[in-house]
Amino acid sequence: MTPPVEDQHLPAPSASPGPAAEEDPGAPFRYPAEGPAGALVLHGFTGVPFSVRPWGRALHAAGADVVGPVLPGHGTRWEDLAEIRWEQWRDHAAEHVERLRARHDVVVVCGLSMGGALALHLAATLPVDGVVALNPALSLVSRTARLAPALHRAVPSVRGVGDDISLPGVTEHAYPRTPVAGVAELGRFMTRTRRMLPAVSAPVLLLRSQHDHVVSDASHHHVLRRAGGDVELVRLAESFHVATLDREADVVAERTVRFLGALLAGRNPVTGRPSRPAARGDRR
């Protein structure tokens, strides 16, 4: 594993999120709870935890111990993202999975966009009980993104990809510019993750916006065809890419809480059949 990148502002496990943390869109969040459930909530490429904070609050209201980290290269300036390797995203998120696993019987990983792909990636190698992937980034709408490995030295950045939200005046506080080197790294990560999907044996709740201008339909098709476990697809008819801040944010929250509740009741959330929690020492 590559050296971990620390969350500079992450509260101590026993601390409640203070007002300063809530006001800073780029700050990680931690909503602690002592129950059996732990949830990791991951933001997307060029984004920050603000975009998934309402999702995290909903899980916490349902009794989960919730962590929303800042992924390496995010929450600072877009130039920093150009220096990051995809393995750093994976390793940083994996550290949080392992900490949650040590404290809780049931662990779910939720993610938006790149965070959704990262949730699937982690589930292929770590003891995860369930995955909630919202518009996971396994294929992009932009056809020029595949040229990023050849272009990044000549073209350092392009226009930002954030704020694909149908509600007027709503922002996710993503970078205003997108580093082309970062897009190249995202492409390598997506390729690796697509290959790992057959190893995802945990049940998956797949949430898909019908009007997504960032991630293509090929992304959820990859999951439906190749994931090794059971997958439930829920379509969001009125939301754009960042559905956690859009018209169906309540649907995202409600379906995720229902999914977690089934796991806590010992049922597979997709099939309704009995299931057992992933063993804490399991590495699939």
Side-chain angles (χ1 to χ4, degrees):
M1 294 174 70
T2 57
V5 178
E6 293 298 327
D7 286 324
Q8 297 299 321
H9 317 287
L10 190 62
S14 60
S16 297
E22 290 298 309
E23 292 169 2
D24 180 1
F29 56 83
R30 174 73 189 280
Y31 303 142
E34 297 297 330
L40 178 63
V41 185
L42 301 168
H43 64 79
F45 184 67
T46 78
V48 288
F50 178 87
S51 62
V52 293
R53 202 174 279 165
W55 207 4
R57 289 197 192 100
L59 283 160
H60 182 249
D65 180 11
V66 182
V67 179
V70 180
L71 295 172
H74 295 79
T76 54
R77 58 192 193 120
W78 68 261
E79 291 89 345
D80 294 333
L81 185 53
E83 305 298 323
I84 296 296
R85 300 294 300 272
W86 71 262
E87 291 91 346
Q88 291 174 266
W89 303 327
R90 176 200 64 194
D91 294 350
H92 191 58
E95 290 279 341
H96 288 286
V97 171
E98 290 167 356
R99 291 173 194 168
L100 288 169
R101 184 85 268 166
R103 296 194 298 269
H104 301 287
D105 295 325
V106 172
V107 173
V108 296
V109 184
C110 310
L112 163 67
S113 193
M114 183 186 80
L118 185 53
L120 291 162
H121 189 106
L122 294 170
T125 59
L126 294 175
V128 168
D129 296 284
V131 174
V132 184
L134 171 57
N135 297 322
L138 296 173
S139 176
L140 303 179
V141 169
S142 172
R143 294 183 178 272
T144 58
R146 67 190 66 178
L147 302 177
L151 293 178
H152 71 89
R153 289 184 176 85
V155 183
S157 71
V158 295
R159 188 176 64 180
V161 296
D163 290 348
D164 188 37
I165 303 168
S166 72
L167 287 172
V170 178
T171 180
E172 61 173 313
H173 298 282
Y175 285 146
R177 304 290 297 176
T178 300
V180 178
V183 176
E185 205 61 29
L186 176 62
R188 286 186 277 269
F189 168 70
M190 293 191 301
T191 298
R192 177 67 66 90
T193 302
R194 289 195 299 266
R195 293 172 180 167
M196 295 173 65
L197 288 173
V200 179
S201 58
V204 176
L205 174 60
L206 181 61
L207 298 154
R208 176 61 180 155
S209 296
Q210 292 184 212
H211 305 287
D212 189 329
H213 306 97
V214 179
V215 165
S216 73
D217 284 344
S219 289
H220 73 274
H221 291 158
H222 282 301
V223 180
L224 290 170
R225 287 196 297 258
R226 304 194 65 196
D230 298 303
V231 181
E232 178 182 8
L233 174 64
V234 174
R235 294 190 179 273
L236 305 173
E238 301 177 19
S239 301
F240 289 1
H241 182 65
V242 189
T244 47
L245 301 178
D246 216 327
R247 301 176 191 276
E248 291 157 296
D250 57 338
V251 177
V252 173
E254 190 275 330
R255 294 304 294 256
T256 304
V257 167
R258 186 193 308 179
F259 182 87
L260 175 61
L263 288 171
L264 289 170
R267 301 193 310 274
N268 181 311
V270 180
T271 66
R273 294 193 295 266
S275 63
R276 67 176 183 86
R280 296 191 183 199
D282 186 14
R283 285 298 178 272
R284 293 189 201 277

